[in-house]
Amino acid sequence: MKILVLNSGSSSLKFQLFEMPQATVLVKGLAERIGEKTSRFVANDFEVNEPIATHKDALHLLTDYLLDSKQPILKDTSEIAAVGHRVVHGGNTFVQPTVITGQVKDKIRELFSLAPLHNPANLTGIETAEEIFSNAKQIAVFDTAFHQSIPIENHKYAIPNNFYEAGIRKYGFHGISHQYVSREANKLLGRKDIKLITLHLGNGASATAVLNGKSFDTTMGFGPMNGLIMGTRSGDIDQSIIFYLLEKLNYSSADIQNILNKQSGMKALAGSNDLRDIETAANQGDKRAQLALIMYAGTIKKYIGNFTAQMNGLDALIFTAGIGENSDVVRDLATKNLSFLGIEIDPNKNKNPKKYQGDITGKNSKVKIFIIPTNEEKEIASQVYQLIY
Ligand code: ADP
């Protein structure tokens, strides 16, 4: 059974075609800078650089490739049984992968106010795929869904209740990634009744406490700015700073959004949001870069402590995404001096994790420490497969 996974951004479209249930990748690629003059389309080793006006044009390029490449991958697009769409915000409504109907689209539209950058683009992807793959089932998989299991004491804010009733609560994000790596960790440990912390450290970053296979708490909240320090987002700050900027320093609300979303985090601390540059600068003695790395790892440690206390223990700590998978420096700093919690990495394994299948647990560590590469597309394909098969 062939399942196409789409991740639509406002000017991009990432795709992977899977043969399920083996999860063999038949095609992987993306269209980027859609609507601009310098668009690019890549599918496996095929690449074109020509203007792509719309998401529909991008999907036409994909179908042309699938049907007409030197060795056609499909005889007919009707071979695609289902299209799985990553949808960022599912609000309180969506806790499972969901077959897309008119009502589901209306609800995704209602949630535009909660995810103004993402949900509109996700809906464009859905409506385009409905036209082009009209025989396929269209399924939405939500990035917030995994976190709907977070209990009320962890998802409610201590503000007047009418706001809670209006939907102001912790939603959490990166759910598809946290769910994927936590399940992989369950497989590695051969059990599901365990206490995990999953650290998704990419440009955006979040940590999740996963108790018995379910999200129990997470660092992102109502929006994606809270919690860990990120590439360009501040993570936790004192709310009074916002009012001070607004009222005393006369910044507009749009300015503040821009500052906290795009000008903060590692970019503000070290002058770059690319961790590789920061590591190089720190190695060359740059004090700002050194401090930025200590602060970055420090917020991770704070949440390791918080979540371990909440779960009354920890069986495994999981590192994933660009930084989690690749930066031995961050993994080292984030786990330093945690032997009190039973957390110790093996410095040699941490430097050569591939040689040890990502298991970097130290000899005396009570907690297992794994690097597990995330694969959101595969997770979407398997959730879609389970729903329709
Ligand atoms: P996104 O959230 O955009 O998907 P990624 O998961 O790809 O982001 O992570 C991007 C981050 O990973 C960047 O800060 C990048 O510098 C960092 N990164 C990628 N490779 C390495 C590496 N080899 N060493 C350190 N950091 C890395």
Side-chain angles (χ1 to χ4, degrees):
M1 179 191 293
K2 292 185 175 57
I3 294 178
L4 178 66
V5 174
L6 295 182
N7 184 352
S8 316
S10 55
S11 64
S12 69
L13 182 72
K14 294 187 191 139
F15 50 81
Q16 278 192 45
L17 180 65
F18 289 91
E19 184 67 57
M20 298 301 286
Q22 306 86 332
T24 314
V25 178
L26 302 175
V27 178
K28 178 178 177 175
L30 81 164
E32 59 186 357
R33 299 190 292 274
I34 296 171
E36 295 173 29
K37 288 195 188 101
T38 56
S39 325
R40 185 167 83 111
F41 176 88
V42 185
N44 292 344
D45 52 7
F46 172 77
E47 178 168 344
V48 280
N49 289 279
E50 62 182 51
I52 304 170
T54 62
H55 286 71
K56 195 169 170 184
D57 294 340
L59 280 189
H60 275 304
L61 283 172
L62 172 61
T63 50
D64 289 350
Y65 175 75
L66 293 171
L67 299 168
D68 302 333
S69 60
K70 275 180 217 135
Q71 290 170 311
I73 293 156
L74 301 178
K75 287 202 191 73
D76 194 292
T77 50
S78 64
E79 288 170 48
I80 295 176
V83 183
H85 298 268
R86 174 171 183 255
V87 180
V88 164
H89 217 306
N92 284 326
T93 312
F94 298 110
V95 296
Q96 299 284 348
T98 304
V99 177
I100 295 167
T101 60
Q103 270 179 330
V104 170
K105 284 193 283 181
D106 287 345
K107 191 68 206 173
I108 292 171
R109 218 171 272 122
E110 262 176 52
L111 292 164
F112 280 5
S113 58
L114 295 184
L117 296 179
H118 295 102
N119 272 32
N122 300 155
L123 189 64
T124 303
I126 290 170
E127 292 185 325
T128 313
E130 282 175 333
E131 278 182 50
I132 296 191
F133 304 104
S134 54
N135 292 317
K137 287 201 171 71
Q138 307 287 332
I139 316 279
V141 178
F142 297 89
D143 217 19
T144 49
F146 183 55
H147 298 303
Q148 281 290 305
S149 57
I150 294 176
I152 187 164
E153 63 272 26
N154 283 343
H155 78 234
K156 187 169 176 171
Y157 293 114
I159 58 174
N161 198 50
N162 55 311
F163 296 120
Y164 182 62
E165 282 166 2
I168 298 181
R169 51 161 286 177
K170 176 182 283 188
Y171 288 104
F173 300 90
H174 296 140
I176 298 165
S177 175
H178 288 294
Q179 186 166 17
Y180 176 78
V181 297
S182 63
R183 230 198 322 259
E184 291 299 301
N186 291 344
K187 282 189 214 157
L188 285 172
L189 293 167
R191 284 168 51 202
K192 203 178 153 184
D193 56 333
I194 45 176
K195 299 164 179 174
L196 302 175
I197 296 176
T198 50
L199 300 166
H200 177 105
L201 310 176
N203 267 318
S206 63
T208 296
V210 185
L211 184 60
N212 302 328
K214 292 189 175 150
S215 176
F216 181 72
D217 200 0
T218 193
T219 53
M220 284 181 169
F222 178 65
M225 282 196 256
N226 212 57
L228 306 180
I229 294 175
M230 310 182 206
T232 62
R233 295 185 205 137
S234 63
D236 294 336
I237 60 162
D238 178 343
Q239 298 85 328
S240 26
I241 295 168
I242 296 172
F243 303 107
Y244 190 82
L245 291 175
L246 204 57
E247 287 160 15
K248 301 279 182 230
L249 302 185
N250 294 321
Y251 284 92
S252 70
S253 149
D255 292 337
I256 298 171
Q257 283 253 19
N258 181 270
I259 291 166
L260 296 180
N261 249 320
K262 305 224 167 95
Q263 311 297 332
S264 295
M266 297 304 264
K267 190 173 172 193
L269 293 172
S272 165
N273 63 330
D274 190 317
L275 201 92
R276 285 164 289 202
D277 297 343
I278 299 169
E279 284 183 1
T280 307
N283 274 336
Q284 290 164 352
D286 182 326
K287 294 273 184 291
R288 278 177 77 200
Q290 289 168 353
L291 176 64
L293 285 172
I294 288 168
M295 288 175 66
Y296 183 85
T299 59
I300 297 171
K301 281 173 87 161
K302 284 178 200 167
Y303 279 105
I304 291 175
N306 175 330
F307 290 164
T308 305
Q310 284 199 62
M311 294 191 288
N312 187 22
L314 184 64
D315 293 300
L317 184 64
I318 319 299
F319 285 92
T320 195
I323 295 169
E325 290 166 30
N326 294 300
S327 173
D328 57 294
V329 174
V330 164
R331 291 192 300 259
D332 181 53
L333 287 172
T335 52
K336 241 191 182 54
N337 292 328
L338 288 182
S339 54
F340 177 75
L341 294 182
I343 296 172
E344 266 181 52
I345 56 171
D346 180 312
N348 179 39
K349 292 181 180 172
N350 184 39
K351 282 211 161 12
N352 305 290
K354 290 224 167 83
K355 212 167 137 192
Y356 302 93
Q357 289 80 45
D359 183 346
I360 57 169
T361 313
K363 204 165 66 220
N364 298 314
S365 190
K366 282 193 235 135
V367 174
K368 287 279 185 190
I369 307 167
F370 296 126
I371 300 164
I372 300 180
T374 194
N375 193 336
E376 287 157 295
E377 290 76 15
K378 187 174 165 194
E379 177 65 25
I380 293 171
S382 72
Q383 291 194 18
V384 169
Y385 181 76
Q386 276 167 25
L387 182 73
I388 65 171
Y389 184 64

